[in-house]
Amino acid sequence: MTITAVKAAPVSGNATLPEPRNRTIMGRSLKTLAFHGVSLILIAVVLYPAVWMIASSFKPSSEIVGNAAIWSENFSFDNFIKAMDGIGGISTLQFFGNSLFLAVASVIGVVFSSTLTAYAFTRINFPGRKFFFTMMVMTLLLPFHVIIIPQYIVFQQVGLVDTYVPLLLGKFLGAEAFFVFLMVQFMRNLPKELDEAARIDGAGHIRIFCSIMLPLMKPSIITASIFAFIWSWNDFLGPLLYLNTPDKYPLPLALRLFVDQTQSSDYGAMIAMSVLALLPVLLFFLIFQRHIVEGVSTQGLKG
């Protein structure tokens, strides 16, 4: 057998990278630079209102209206002092307490009613299950404004106006379709072999629900809790309809008290209270944000 040696071509000492490769690297760098530049511009546009609000909370009221500038030379904490003093003889801490009570009660009601309803739709066979689930999902298409007047008339007839019952009763007894749908999709991915093994050991629906389903549904429960807390904390229309006494107002209605159409409005204190009102929601979101994607993606156990 004859082995033929192949002589390598000599390499010049001044050899450089091929021109097409240089162009490819330069093109990728320009695309990356353009992407980051556009992203920074979009971030600046999105965050500008929040930055302006925070900066305006340190401005005098006379410099807030009609002034789009962010910073002011008259930097002061007077707006926060006025905001914490409250308005109309009602302390700001009471408004915070009212909002916190409604938000926490809404979370408890949503988790209680939605998990039970989702368990019934996914683990209990009863006549018309698919029909009732379809009808429940269809209520997502029903605008809230359609049922405002009938609901108000009902609560007025039973004497529950100017109480927190109309704002919380639906959370505990009328499971909201969005949260039920979220938990149903999550629970469907949980293996039914766990239920069967529990039934062999003599467990009933209550034991299976409390000991097996609830611990496994933690991501979806946290996700539902975050949405329920934020929606209740920011709710303005519901309290506006059913609450008449100022000392029962939550923060969204309390902010409205700083705007007076007959006299001068204290926009500085209102914006300062708005900044304070954002802090609980921001903290709540930051603490549990890592569970949101896990809960919305509805990924259960694989087996």
Side-chain angles (χ1 to χ4, degrees):
M1 179 181 294
T2 304
I3 300 177
T4 305
V6 180
K7 185 177 181 181
V11 179
S12 175
N14 297 326
T16 58
L17 291 174
E19 187 65 24
R21 185 176 179 182
N22 286 335
R23 292 181 179 178
T24 302
I25 295 176
M26 184 177 297
R28 291 178 180 176
S29 300
L30 291 176
K31 289 181 180 179
T32 302
L33 183 61
F35 173 78
H36 285 85
V38 174
S39 300
L40 291 175
I41 293 174
L42 293 177
I43 291 174
V45 172
V46 171
L47 294 182
Y48 176 80
V51 175
W52 181 88
M53 182 182 69
I54 295 174
S56 297
S57 64
F58 299 98
K59 297 179 182 179
S61 298
S62 58
E63 296 184 11
I64 295 177
V65 180
N67 185 6
I70 295 180
W71 304 113
S72 172
E73 296 181 357
N74 300 319
F75 186 89
S76 175
F77 289 95
D78 292 341
N79 293 330
F80 288 95
I81 297 175
K82 294 179 182 178
M84 292 305 299
D85 289 339
I87 188 171
I90 304 174
S91 172
T92 300
L93 294 178
Q94 184 170 349
F95 295 132
F96 268 91
N98 296 337
S99 291
L100 186 62
F101 170 77
L102 289 173
V104 173
S106 297
V107 170
I108 296 174
V110 164
V111 171
F112 172 77
S113 60
S114 299
T115 51
L116 286 175
T117 306
Y119 179 82
F121 278 128
T122 55
R123 292 301 198 260
I124 301 177
N125 291 321
F126 58 89
R129 181 178 65 170
K130 293 183 179 179
F131 171 77
F132 288 116
F133 181 74
T134 303
M135 296 299 295
M136 183 204 66
V137 173
M138 289 180 63
T139 60
L140 293 172
L141 305 176
L142 184 67
F144 171 73
H145 305 82
V146 175
I147 60 177
I148 286 179
I149 296 178
Q151 279 187 350
Y152 185 85
I153 293 175
V154 171
F155 287 120
Q156 185 184 39
Q157 293 296 325
V158 297
L160 293 177
V161 175
D162 200 24
T163 67
Y164 294 142
V165 176
L167 302 175
L168 298 176
L169 186 63
K171 312 291 185 182
F172 285 88
L173 301 181
E176 298 189 10
F178 171 78
F179 298 111
V180 175
F181 180 77
L182 175 69
M183 294 186 181
V184 164
Q185 297 304 313
F186 188 91
M187 196 176 295
R188 282 176 177 173
N189 289 319
L190 300 179
K192 293 186 177 181
E193 288 78 4
L194 297 174
D195 303 31
E196 297 173 357
R199 290 193 183 95
I200 293 175
D201 293 337
H205 286 297
I206 297 178
R207 181 65 180 275
I208 294 173
F209 174 76
C210 296
S211 301
I212 298 177
M213 290 300 156
L214 284 182
L216 295 177
M217 292 176 63
K218 179 181 177 182
S220 62
I221 290 176
I222 293 178
T223 302
S225 300
I226 292 173
F227 284 115
F229 185 91
I230 294 176
W231 291 351
S232 176
W233 187 272
N234 295 330
D235 186 22
F236 177 82
L237 182 58
L240 180 65
L241 289 174
Y242 295 109
L243 299 180
N244 301 323
T245 307
D247 58 2
K248 298 179 182 178
Y249 283 177
L251 279 172
L253 285 186
L255 293 173
R256 176 173 162 266
L257 297 178
F258 286 98
V259 180
D260 192 345
Q261 300 296 333
T262 59
Q263 299 178 1
S264 59
S265 300
D266 195 348
Y267 292 105
M270 181 181 66
I271 293 178
M273 184 179 286
S274 300
V275 174
L276 296 175
L278 286 176
L279 295 179
V281 177
L282 183 61
L283 292 176
F284 193 85
F285 178 80
L286 291 177
I287 293 172
F288 297 104
Q289 64 174 339
R290 63 188 183 90
H291 297 281
I292 293 181
V293 176
E294 185 180 1
V296 174
S297 62
T298 64
Q299 294 296 320
L301 297 179
K302 301 297 182 181

